[in-house]
Amino acid sequence: MATESFGLPFEATSTAAWLVWILPFAAAMIMPGAGKLSRRATGYVAVGFALMSALSAASLLPLAVEGSEIHNQVMWIEAIGLNGGVLADPLSVIMANVVGWISFLIMIYSTGYMKGDKDTTRFWFWMMFFIGSMQLIVLSDNLLQVFFGWEGVGLASYMLISFWYRDKRKDHVGQEGRTALGLLDYYAPTHAGMKAFIMTKVGDVMMIAGMLLIFLYAGTFGFKELMGGTEWAVAMNAEGMLVPAFVLLFGGAIGKSAQFPLNEWLLEAMTGPTAVSALIHAATMVKAGVFLVARIGPIVFALGAAGIMADQFFEIIAWVGAITALLLATQGMVNPEIKKVLAYSTGSQIGYMMMALGVAGLSHQYVDGYTAGFFHLISHAMFKASLFMAAGSLLHVVGSRFMTDMGGLRKSMKKTYAFMWAAGLGLMGAPFITTGFWSKDAIFASVYTSGNEWALPLFAIAVLTAIITAFYTTRMIGMVFFGNKSKHIQRMEEEGHHIHEASLSMWVPYGILAVLTIGIGLIGLSTEHGLHHMFEVYLEDSFGINSEHAKSESSILPDFLNGINPVALGASLVAFATGIGLGYIFYIGRWVDPVKFVNSNIFFYAIHKLFLNRWYLNAIIYWCFVVAPLWLARAIFRYFEKTAIDYGMNDGVQKAVVWGARVVQGTQTGVSQSYLFVFGAGLLFVVLILLI
């Protein structure tokens, strides 16, 4: 049941929905004033307002559980009759809580991580602005308002990725001196921030084009209004514009969620503080694209009831997700920087989410893929935020972003070691005890049982990606915590630096999320069923999407696993065992030296080089869209503007004018008889012409 109003005052529940995104913006606005009082005050303000925003989101949870919603509007742009408002339905309420509570924990972590930094006021301002913009995306009831939040997270990400704008060597990403296709693969914070800003803007332009196309036919940006009638969709479909418009909207999601081919900015985004990385990868920015697809996907699928089929839209989503999942997972296998490995992992796991949401639209059981994709979003948010914050603690202690500078840290950092294992097991999909297992298994099942022509190849990609994920996660933990201490650490200890655990304010937040990854994982099946039921009711009430309650064929499994697809379950178990087994052989047991293994065979060496050079996609993008255009611009400047214009046309015109001036000047003798002679000759010439 929806509540709707058009003005003030708001009901208490609707007030909470507005406060979820208003409070972070309010904190950002008062941050400069708090900074004038003391640097410590800014941290208190950020943590306090983040907590209030999270509590406001939590107060909406009963509505989501009941299947109710709040749709509250106020007049926004009166000239065109455009309302602004909040839409707190089960989808946005769950998402708002994910964003709110994880952001709150990251704020606590940041108080320790940013301690001593002289630019903390600027940091807290943009962090709160970031959270507010993301919550605006989540709770907006129309596409135009979403776009304001969309641009807000883009601006905040640029400012935070470039936070250490002095571009010191220690703040760069990549290996100094490394090249791919002749281009340096080593980036400064300012370069990385600009790269993120520009690449995401490509998607943003596509998104606003799609929005305006829909508005042209529908006359509204509102999500509820778009479902009020299908005339606009019928008209768009008749002119072949419906699928292109929604694909353009998906282009915005590709940019923000760093999906292929706009994925390369995410890897350089590691130049910002690690707290920023955790926020971008777990709660904001990259999850915005997934949320947008979850918001518009049911609208497109529901149009099928009106005879409007848009399978191409869902096929594009599924394949973009699948390609991204595999592409970035392979790169995470070989990269030596811990934050970059986690960044590759984020793009890959978001690919899983996109794959599930795409497959949902290609299946009769839309709710299965929809639930699987969103469940994985929640699961990933927890363990990836934990892993990033733990990685930040390692960077703080070791003073290096390279895993080759770590090693043997499990005795010195026991808490971080335990929590990274817990969160890492979630990423790997450790069977039956982690949220990652249940959400990934749900994706496998939704893909395998979708019944569309792409089911088997997509399923194969999903399983292969899961094997690689378990491998690179084990590799990361093995390189950091096992083996002997690196020469870098030995040198630090010789100089009197003591390797110790992170401060309480830092390890408690990622410890909580790591414990939740296991704790919720132990009841993961019931959690998945609860989400499934919630979204089943939501999709039927809001979009008229009915579910087919087919009897499960998993009766060969124990009762507590009833409802699990045996093929998907078997694939999950095999993928986990294979990946962690290979990782153990190379990086924990150290039975095989990975360097010698790679160099022992030209095939493995070539594959390793291909993955390390990012499939050359980054270099190709730079050659095509940076180097070549700059070369062309310089050539035009040198050979056309400088030669043809400056030395040719401009110089020629100048000389012609000078020559003409001299000719005219030569006729000005100053002798009256000469002027009379010329005048008479001219007059005679005119008379002769007239006579002829």
Side-chain angles (χ1 to χ4, degrees):
M1 180 178 178
T3 62
E4 188 169 352
S5 62
F6 294 87
L8 296 170
F10 305 127
E11 298 176 4
T13 49
S14 61
T15 302
W18 287 88
L19 287 176
V20 170
W21 65 267
I22 290 175
L23 283 169
F25 280 130
M29 294 304 105
I30 67 175
M31 202 62 70
K36 294 292 184 182
L37 297 176
S38 71
R39 291 182 186 174
R40 184 174 295 182
T42 56
Y44 293 149
V45 169
V47 171
F49 274 80
L51 176 59
M52 288 190 289
S53 176
L55 289 171
S56 298
S59 69
L60 301 172
L61 281 172
L63 287 170
V65 174
E66 295 168 4
S68 301
E69 68 178 33
I70 297 168
H71 183 206
N72 195 292
Q73 293 183 314
V74 294
M75 182 57 69
W76 184 15
I77 306 176
E78 191 170 358
I80 58 174
L82 183 63
N83 296 312
V86 292
L87 177 58
D89 55 14
L91 173 68
S92 58
V93 168
I94 298 299
M95 187 70 184
N97 276 275
V98 171
V99 174
W101 288 105
I102 291 181
S103 297
F104 167 64
L105 291 173
I106 293 172
M107 292 301 102
I108 294 175
Y109 171 86
S110 299
T111 59
Y113 187 87
M114 296 301 293
K115 188 176 182 179
D117 194 290
K118 63 180 181 179
D119 293 323
T120 50
T121 300
R122 178 163 56 90
F123 172 83
W124 292 118
F125 173 88
W126 287 112
M127 289 289 274
M128 297 309 296
F129 187 89
F130 210 157
I131 297 169
S133 297
M134 184 64 190
Q135 294 287 35
L136 177 60
I137 291 172
V138 171
L139 289 162
S140 291
D141 76 332
N142 65 85
L143 280 168
L144 185 60
Q145 200 170 305
V146 165
F147 194 72
F148 275 82
W150 201 264
E151 293 306 293
V153 295
L155 175 60
S157 68
Y158 165 68
M159 299 302 296
L160 289 168
I161 293 168
S162 307
F163 182 77
W164 286 314
Y165 60 87
R166 293 174 181 85
D167 289 348
K168 296 179 180 178
R169 289 175 59 185
K170 67 181 181 65
D171 299 323
H172 284 50
V173 292
Q175 293 173 274
E176 190 171 1
R178 267 203 92 256
T179 60
L181 294 182
L183 298 177
L184 196 64
D185 192 18
Y186 181 67
Y187 303 99
T190 52
H191 182 105
M194 187 59 68
K195 181 177 180 179
F197 190 79
I198 292 173
M199 289 195 75
T200 55
K201 284 296 164 289
V202 174
D204 294 355
V205 171
M206 295 172 66
M207 179 179 175
I208 198 168
M211 287 168 48
L212 293 176
L213 272 175
I214 292 172
F215 183 79
L216 181 66
Y217 286 87
T220 181
F221 291 109
F223 299 119
K224 302 290 288 186
E225 290 80 359
L226 288 174
M227 284 304 300
T230 59
E231 297 82 5
W232 61 275
V234 173
M236 289 188 76
N237 191 57
E239 297 183 22
M241 297 302 296
L242 183 66
V243 172
F246 279 102
V247 169
L248 285 170
L249 280 180
F250 178 58
I254 289 175
K256 278 292 185 286
S257 288
Q259 297 294 281
F260 176 82
L262 299 178
N263 56 281
E264 293 301 321
W265 70 265
L266 187 64
L267 314 172
E268 271 68 74
M270 299 303 97
T271 55
T274 304
V276 174
S277 303
L279 195 64
I280 289 176
H281 289 253
T284 62
M285 187 73 168
V286 295
K287 296 294 172 60
V290 180
F291 179 80
L292 178 66
V293 174
R295 177 60 85 193
I296 65 174
I299 297 175
V300 181
F301 188 80
L303 293 175
I308 303 170
M309 302 305 294
D311 286 356
Q312 301 97 322
F313 172 69
F314 292 107
E315 286 176 358
I316 291 171
I317 294 173
W319 275 108
V320 166
I323 292 169
T324 308
L326 182 59
L327 181 75
L328 296 189
T330 57
Q331 297 173 56
M333 295 169 65
V334 298
N335 200 277
E337 297 178 63
I338 186 168
K339 286 174 67 177
K340 268 200 168 185
V341 170
L342 294 174
Y344 286 120
S345 173
T346 295
S348 178
Q349 296 302 303
I350 289 176
Y352 267 129
M353 302 169 206
M354 291 295 190
M355 188 195 305
L357 293 175
V359 165
L362 302 174
S363 168
H364 294 298
Q365 283 287 83
Y366 184 82
V367 67
D368 288 352
Y370 192 84
T371 302
F374 205 80
F375 186 25
H376 198 57
L377 182 151
I378 298 169
S379 176
H380 177 265
M382 289 190 296
F383 60 66
K384 188 52 63 67
S386 180
L387 285 169
F388 261 112
M389 287 189 281
S393 295
L394 292 168
L395 266 64
H396 245 278
V397 173
V398 177
S400 173
R401 62 183 181 274
F402 293 100
M403 293 184 289
T404 49
D405 287 334
M406 301 178 191
L409 294 176
R410 67 185 185 276
K411 294 180 180 179
S412 304
M413 302 181 71
K414 294 180 181 178
K415 295 185 181 69
T416 300
Y417 169 66
F419 294 142
M420 282 198 78
W421 257 123
L425 287 172
L427 176 57
M428 288 187 274
F432 308 120
I433 62 168
T434 63
T435 57
F437 167 76
W438 299 110
S439 60
K440 200 170 291 185
D441 181 79
I443 292 174
F444 286 3
S446 65
V447 172
Y448 184 76
T449 61
S450 60
N452 68 84
E453 59 180 317
W454 304 114
L456 288 180
L458 288 172
F459 182 74
I461 291 173
V463 174
L464 178 59
T465 302
I467 294 171
I468 296 172
T469 302
F471 173 80
Y472 69 64
T473 307
T474 308
R475 169 182 178 264
M476 176 183 67
I477 293 175
M479 291 181 71
V480 172
F481 294 105
F482 289 85
N484 299 321
K485 294 181 179 178
S486 67
K487 293 180 180 179
H488 173 77
I489 292 178
Q490 293 175 17
R491 187 164 54 251
M492 286 181 63
E493 291 180 332
E494 289 171 1
E495 294 172 356
H497 296 286
H498 176 60
I499 304 298
H500 57 83
E501 190 59 77
S503 63
L504 187 70
S505 62
M506 290 175 66
W507 69 257
V508 167
Y510 60 79
I512 290 173
L513 292 172
V515 170
L516 285 175
T517 298
I518 301 297
I520 297 178
L522 293 173
I523 56 170
L525 190 59
S526 60
T527 303
E528 181 191 342
H529 288 166
L531 275 175
H532 190 282
H533 175 71
M534 182 187 299
F535 285 133
E536 189 174 39
V537 174
Y538 162 67
L539 292 171
E540 185 167 358
D541 290 349
S542 299
F543 304 97
I545 299 174
N546 297 311
S547 298
E548 298 176 5
H549 299 282
K551 185 177 180 180
S552 171
E553 298 178 1
S554 58
S555 57
I556 61 172
L557 298 174
D559 289 341
F560 81 97
L561 290 179
N562 214 10
I564 295 293
N565 183 277
V567 175
L569 176 62
S572 296
L573 297 175
V574 170
F576 173 77
T578 304
I580 197 172
L582 290 173
Y584 188 92
I585 289 170
F586 284 102
Y587 294 100
I588 295 181
R590 311 286 172 117
W591 300 339
V592 179
D593 187 337
V595 176
K596 292 181 179 178
F597 178 80
V598 168
N599 293 328
S600 66
N601 185 292
I602 187 64
F603 175 76
F604 292 133
Y605 177 81
I607 290 293
H608 181 272
K609 187 175 181 180
L610 176 67
F611 293 167
L612 190 61
N613 287 329
R614 302 157 69 157
W615 290 74
Y616 297 100
L617 177 61
N618 185 63
I620 291 170
I621 288 173
Y622 269 89
W623 273 111
C624 293
F625 298 103
V626 180
V627 178
L630 284 176
W631 178 87
L632 181 61
R634 288 165 184 156
I636 292 172
F637 176 76
R638 179 177 179 182
Y639 296 107
F640 180 72
E641 187 170 340
K642 295 291 288 184
T643 303
I645 303 297
D646 290 352
Y647 299 137
M649 188 181 299
N650 289 351
D651 193 46
V653 170
Q654 178 190 358
K655 289 179 180 179
V657 171
V658 170
W659 179 81
R662 286 174 180 171
V663 171
V664 173
Q665 184 181 10
T667 65
Q668 305 301 309
T669 63
V671 179
S672 301
Q673 291 87 338
S674 299
Y675 297 152
L676 288 172
F677 175 78
V678 173
F679 177 73
L683 185 61
L684 179 61
F685 180 72
V686 172
V687 171
L688 288 172
I689 290 176
L690 292 174
L691 290 175
I692 294 173

